Amino acid sequence: MTIPRMAVLVVGATGSIGRLVVDVAIRQGHAVRALVRTPGKAGQFPPEAQVVIGDVTRPETLSGVMEGIDAIVFTLGSDGAGKVGVESVDYGGVRNVLSALGSRKARIALMTSIGVTNRTGSYNRATEAHDWKRRSERLVRASGLRYTIVRPGWFDYNGPDEHRLVLLQGDRRQAGNPSDGGVARRQIAEVLVRSLSSDHALRQTFELIAAAGLAPDDFDALFAPLDADSRGALDGVHDIANMPLDDEPQRVRDDLNAVLAYQSSVGVH
């Protein structure tokens, strides 16, 4: 299958997955734009990548970054910056980039995490990371843009013979440890990039792990059996309904309403 060449913006490009997304996208023939906060980070990318300067927590720095973009891959992570960090980066970064995108149409691939709907585990109680990542998912679904949401398992906790990708839905693996499933970082990056050009991945939300076997070469066949999210829904198609919108912070509801109102005004919905 011929993959159409796209201009792909990688948000979170300096992270361990983001750097691999840049490499994979270049190998697949895409024009890659890597978003970094400071010029000093530019040297870590291949020469084929265009490096652009912007900070996802400062919306005023993002206005010129979106010109000519066909697709965006989000691999944001706040790197242990606590509750303020996960809200401002993992969630706020997605909100600010979508706002900067404006009326432009771009295909979205958003990486969050396996177990993201687990609100009562010790990790989420301490960090609120799951809640804020899940809220970023809701913003993407509400945007009306063409999207895929990938919830990878534990990075590089797959065995040496475990390269067969398994896509799950409903987020039922919530042990909060590697027993939930592992997957290689490079395979996460490849799924994110491949989803951008697959109609079979449209409006899909899934957990991604690896099992014993060979890596896939037909990604359409990998995505095709999954269920798409319901149109207009805020959560993944098989997710447990444990985050009532009425109980959400007012600022979160305001963000959602702003996205819905804007997309309605430009005729996305």
Side-chain angles (χ1 to χ4, degrees):
M1 182 186 70
T2 301
I3 298 174
R5 177 180 168 89
M6 291 182 283
V8 178
L9 174 68
V10 183
V11 180
T14 59
S16 66
I17 306 296
R19 291 194 300 271
L20 292 172
V21 167
V22 171
D23 289 340
V24 169
I26 289 171
R27 283 196 297 105
Q28 292 184 15
H30 299 302
V32 177
R33 192 176 296 179
L35 180 66
V36 303
R37 282 180 294 177
T38 61
K41 296 178 180 289
Q44 62 188 274
F45 299 107
E48 297 92 337
Q50 177 192 6
V51 176
V52 291
I53 309 302
D55 185 337
V56 297
T57 67
R58 297 171 56 210
E60 70 276 9
T61 69
L62 302 174
S63 58
V65 171
M66 306 299 159
E67 292 298 331
I69 286 298
D70 301 311
I72 303 172
V73 180
F74 289 97
T75 61
L76 290 167
S78 49
D79 298 326
K83 294 179 181 179
V84 172
V86 294
E87 178 177 355
S88 63
V89 176
D90 299 60
Y91 168 79
V94 174
R95 178 197 60 213
N96 293 340
V97 169
L98 291 177
S99 177
L101 187 64
S103 61
R104 304 174 186 87
K105 306 298 187 292
R107 182 71 179 260
I108 304 295
L110 171 68
M111 183 185 78
T112 59
S113 173
I114 198 167
V116 74
T117 64
N118 180 1
R119 308 194 69 193
T120 59
S122 59
Y123 175 70
N124 191 60
R125 290 200 308 270
T127 66
E128 298 180 4
H130 286 166
D131 286 352
W132 287 111
K133 286 180 181 292
R134 190 171 177 187
R135 289 165 183 144
S136 75
E137 292 186 357
R138 287 179 161 184
L139 286 178
V140 168
R141 295 190 190 97
S143 72
L145 298 169
R146 293 154 61 89
Y147 71 84
T148 305
I149 295 172
V150 181
R151 298 164 168 174
W154 287 64
F155 298 172
D156 290 339
Y157 271 79
N158 56 305
D161 64 340
E162 293 179 334
H163 303 290
R164 179 174 62 86
L165 294 178
V166 178
L167 277 53
L168 307 169
Q169 292 186 294
D171 198 32
R172 298 305 193 269
R173 296 195 176 196
Q174 300 189 351
N177 60 51
S179 69
D180 288 330
V183 61
R185 282 177 166 87
R186 181 160 288 276
Q187 287 195 290
I188 298 169
E190 186 158 21
V191 168
L192 288 164
V193 176
R194 292 279 188 174
S195 74
L196 299 174
S197 55
S198 175
D199 287 342
H200 294 282
L202 277 175
R203 295 198 342 272
Q204 286 186 351
T205 299
F206 55 83
E207 297 80 57
L208 175 67
I209 61 171
L214 299 176
D217 55 13
D218 185 343
F219 283 82
D220 280 344
L222 187 69
F223 299 133
L226 299 185
D227 294 327
D229 296 338
S230 301
R231 290 189 181 276
L234 292 178
D235 291 314
V237 60
H238 296 302
D239 287 354
I240 296 170
N242 62 351
M243 185 181 267
L245 189 57
D246 288 346
D247 294 345
E248 284 288 86
Q250 186 62 52
R251 63 189 183 281
V252 172
R253 285 182 283 163
D254 289 345
D255 287 342
L256 271 172
N257 287 334
V259 170
L260 291 167
Y262 180 77
Q263 296 304 334
S264 178
S265 72
V266 297
V268 173
H269 289 289

